[in-house]
Amino acid sequence: MAGPEDSKGEVMQVSGFPRMIVTIGCMIGTLMQALDATIANVSLPYMQGSLSASYDEITWVLTSYVVAAAIMTAPVGWLASRFGRKNVFMVSIIGFTISSMMCGVATSLGEMVADRLLQGVFGAALVPLSQSTMLDIYPVEKRGQAMAIWGIGVMIGPILGPTLGGYLTYFYDWRYVFFVNLPFGIAATLALGFFMPKRGAGARSSGHFDWIGFAVLSLFLAALQIMLDRGEEKDWFGSTEIITYAVLATIGLYLFIVHMFTADKPFIPRGVFKDRNLNASLIAMFAVGSVLLSSSTLMPPFLEKLGNYPVELAGLVMAPRGIGTMGAMMIAGRLTNRIDPRYLMFLGFLLLIASFWMMMQWLPSSPQSYLIESIIVQGAGLGFVFTPLQVVAFYTLDPALRTQGTSLLSLMRNVGMAVGISITEAVQVQMSQVAHASISHGITPFNRALQVGGAISRDLDPMTTHGAALLNSLVEQQAQIISYLDAFKFMLIVSVPSIFTLLLMRKPPQREGVAAEKHEMAVME
């Protein structure tokens, strides 16, 4: 049964069967949005042929979704307080499902990009609203478990997206990558429509909207996302286009910061940034986001191109990462209210660092058991960091600012993923060129390794066309191996400073059961 409604947190305690159904609806909404961020990646070549687009044009299918989702994540808090969380949630799920079907029946590139923009607009609210709903319908002592359940969708979505997209495209058609959202969208709509509580109209915000703050923040996010998405393709700052995006992003960020400190009612309430736990969690979430997707982006090409793994086998080797994540999340969810969550996050960061150290030893000839062990350790590390982080971030935050806080946390994760992918791919490409030049420097007719005589010397003679081509392919393979290991090393180096964000977090207050719940209810009212 649903309890009374509050004026700040919007959704009060729900227990028994209704809470279970609302939890399932939130999980589905989260999983849909997280999946669609990556599920279409492997289908781009097939879309390119069907939509008669060039490679440069078809990448806008991904860019349009990411940009729209990034821009519309920021105003979720205001929309929920102005129109009601349930209303915004329902419109978002229905709109996301309809726009997904529109993507599936698109017949031209322009139509597809427009539909993906709509999908990103409606999907932006799904993750923050589902998280704030889960925080509200569960009592304090059960929020660790609630965030573990909710986090499965957030973490597993980007991991399973490419694998599921590949299977749907291979066995059916690329359009099923979008059609798969229909049954889930209907289920989530029914679950939340019938069982999610709705606050009274009198509790809603009066409706002030900071259009200037929204405009300059949108400029920053859009320019940053496009710059990161197209930077590697356009040779980064050697391109006038990328320089233009960088200038626009800088201007947008500067104007947003100035406006935040000078406006009477800024777009994002200043009170959000006064909470130390949330600020530290935003930094930690950026770090988690940067390695969440970048590592899973590098692993498939390493296995397929260098290890000669079939696509299906590469997907199976990577699957245990999700198992490690889910297992760690469930354990962390049970322990979060029993021990200091910061200790669990510390363990998670250590496991992440250990996994990248193990991946620095990867070779194409490495046994599958070692690869799987590394992947499981990484998944466990992500799980042990993510679940306690969601709880610690909101321990001391005013419940009235909870939806804005979850929106910011989702925004930092999305920006972290975009920055992480772009930088790690740039590192991998750059180090591949450096390694290729370094190895090639020692290949001359006077190299003793090429003077052993026999067939090897003839086949690898750099003075012949055949020998030079064969040598170049061998050098390229070795350079690629070195570059991937350097990228894994870079992710290890990035993960180490993240541990120090734990020092910025306050120890969670020792509150128990009913007393804690009553205390929070008093604050909310």
Side-chain angles (χ1 to χ4, degrees):
M1 297 292 293
E5 295 167 349
D6 73 291
S7 63
K8 299 290 185 183
E10 180 170 346
V11 182
M12 300 298 289
Q13 300 298 324
V14 181
S15 61
F17 182 74
R19 183 165 68 187
M20 181 182 70
I21 298 300
V22 174
T23 298
I24 293 174
C26 291
M27 277 286 297
I28 292 175
T30 299
L31 186 60
M32 287 170 59
Q33 198 277 343
L35 269 175
D36 274 67
T38 58
I39 196 172
N41 294 27
V42 296
S43 305
L44 288 184
Y46 300 89
M47 296 182 196
Q48 185 177 344
S50 298
L51 303 176
S52 301
S54 65
Y55 176 80
D56 184 55
E57 293 172 335
I58 202 63
T59 56
W60 283 101
V61 173
L62 303 179
T63 305
S64 57
Y65 178 85
V66 172
V67 170
I71 291 175
M72 291 307 297
T73 297
V76 168
W78 178 86
L79 290 171
S81 63
R82 176 66 179 88
F83 299 104
R85 184 190 299 171
K86 181 176 180 178
N87 294 333
V88 176
F89 211 159
M90 295 297 294
V91 169
S92 297
I93 291 178
I94 294 172
F96 187 85
T97 305
I98 294 175
S99 58
S100 296
M101 301 305 294
M102 292 169 62
C103 289
V105 299
T107 57
S108 67
L109 178 65
E111 186 179 347
M112 171 61 80
V113 171
D115 294 339
R116 284 286 279 177
L117 279 170
L118 283 176
Q119 197 182 30
V121 167
F122 287 113
L126 295 181
V127 171
L129 290 184
S130 63
Q131 183 181 13
S132 57
T133 300
M134 293 281 284
L135 286 169
D136 282 346
I137 66 175
Y138 282 88
V140 177
E141 68 273 10
K142 292 185 178 180
R143 283 186 183 161
Q145 298 179 39
M147 288 298 96
I149 296 172
W150 173 82
I152 290 175
V154 177
M155 302 295 284
I156 298 300
I159 295 173
L160 295 183
T163 302
L164 179 59
Y167 274 101
L168 290 173
T169 303
Y170 181 79
F171 289 106
Y172 298 99
D173 187 81
W174 65 263
R175 298 182 185 275
Y176 283 86
V177 167
F178 302 105
F179 291 156
V180 73
N181 287 324
L182 179 61
F184 295 107
I186 293 175
T189 300
L190 294 176
L192 297 175
F194 284 106
F195 293 97
M196 181 177 175
K198 183 178 181 180
R199 76 173 177 179
R204 295 177 189 168
S205 171
S206 59
H208 170 79
F209 187 75
D210 182 11
W211 287 104
I212 296 177
F214 176 68
V216 293
L217 180 61
S218 299
L219 173 64
F220 164 66
L221 292 174
L224 177 67
Q225 291 284 354
I226 297 175
M227 180 188 76
L228 294 173
D229 190 69
R230 296 173 62 80
E232 187 60 40
E233 177 188 343
K234 296 294 184 179
D235 194 25
W236 291 103
F237 295 102
S239 166
T240 304
E241 177 184 345
I242 300 302
I243 294 176
T244 302
Y245 293 140
V247 171
L248 291 175
T250 303
I251 293 174
L253 179 60
Y254 171 76
L255 293 177
F256 176 74
I257 293 175
V258 171
H259 187 73
M260 274 286 299
F261 284 100
T262 57
D264 293 333
K265 295 182 179 180
F267 178 63
I268 299 177
R270 282 188 286 266
V272 173
F273 299 103
K274 295 179 181 179
D275 188 275
R276 196 169 81 180
N277 272 22
L278 180 61
N279 290 333
S281 298
L282 291 175
I283 299 173
M285 181 57 74
F286 179 86
V288 171
S290 66
V291 300
L292 170 62
L293 208 55
S294 57
S295 57
S296 61
T297 301
L298 291 179
M299 285 188 282
F302 181 94
L303 296 174
E304 294 170 19
K305 295 180 180 179
L306 301 179
N308 295 319
Y309 279 64
V311 176
E312 299 83 359
L313 183 57
L316 290 175
V317 170
M318 291 184 60
R321 185 173 185 240
I323 297 175
T325 301
M326 287 190 291
M329 281 185 166
M330 299 312 295
I331 295 173
R334 291 184 174 274
L335 295 178
T336 295
N337 292 307
R338 299 181 182 179
I339 63 176
D340 191 334
R342 296 177 297 177
Y343 295 151
L344 296 175
M345 295 171 63
F346 180 72
L347 172 62
F349 280 123
L350 289 182
L351 289 175
L352 273 178
I353 293 170
S355 71
F356 289 127
W357 183 85
M358 295 173 70
M359 292 171 69
M360 286 170 56
Q361 322 304 319
W362 277 18
L363 293 173
S365 58
S366 296
Q368 288 184 18
S369 58
Y370 184 76
L371 303 180
I372 293 175
E373 287 174 8
S374 308
I375 292 171
I376 291 177
V377 171
Q378 183 179 117
L382 289 169
F384 276 119
V385 171
F386 193 80
T387 299
L389 179 62
Q390 302 298 322
V391 178
V392 171
F394 302 101
Y395 256 123
T396 56
L397 184 67
D398 185 349
L401 301 173
R402 186 172 291 155
T403 303
Q404 287 88 346
T406 55
S407 300
L408 278 176
L409 214 57
S410 297
L411 180 62
M412 290 301 290
R413 187 184 67 253
N414 292 335
V415 173
M417 289 192 295
V419 172
I421 290 175
S422 298
I423 293 180
T424 51
E425 286 186 348
V427 168
Q428 190 268 321
V429 172
Q430 182 67 28
M431 296 312 298
S432 173
Q433 298 171 352
V434 172
H436 191 287
S438 177
I439 298 173
S440 300
H441 183 72
I443 298 179
T444 69
F446 306 103
N447 191 309
R448 296 183 63 84
L450 301 176
Q451 296 177 354
V452 296
I456 295 180
S457 294
R458 291 194 301 272
D459 291 340
L460 298 180
D461 184 359
M463 301 304 294
T464 65
T465 303
H466 172 76
L470 185 57
L471 274 172
N472 184 69
S473 65
L474 293 174
V475 170
E476 179 63 24
Q477 182 186 39
Q478 296 302 311
Q480 286 290 323
I481 295 173
I482 294 172
S483 67
Y484 277 101
L485 301 185
D486 285 337
F488 296 146
K489 182 179 180 180
F490 173 77
M491 284 186 276
L492 183 151
I493 295 173
V494 169
S495 300
V496 172
S498 305
I499 296 178
F500 296 100
T501 60
L502 303 179
L503 300 177
L504 302 177
M505 299 179 184
R506 294 175 180 173
K507 183 178 180 180
Q510 298 298 318
R511 299 185 291 181
E512 300 182 10
V514 177
E517 188 173 345
K518 288 182 178 178
H519 171 76
E520 181 168 280
M521 299 282 283
V523 173
M524 293 169 71
E525 294 174 351

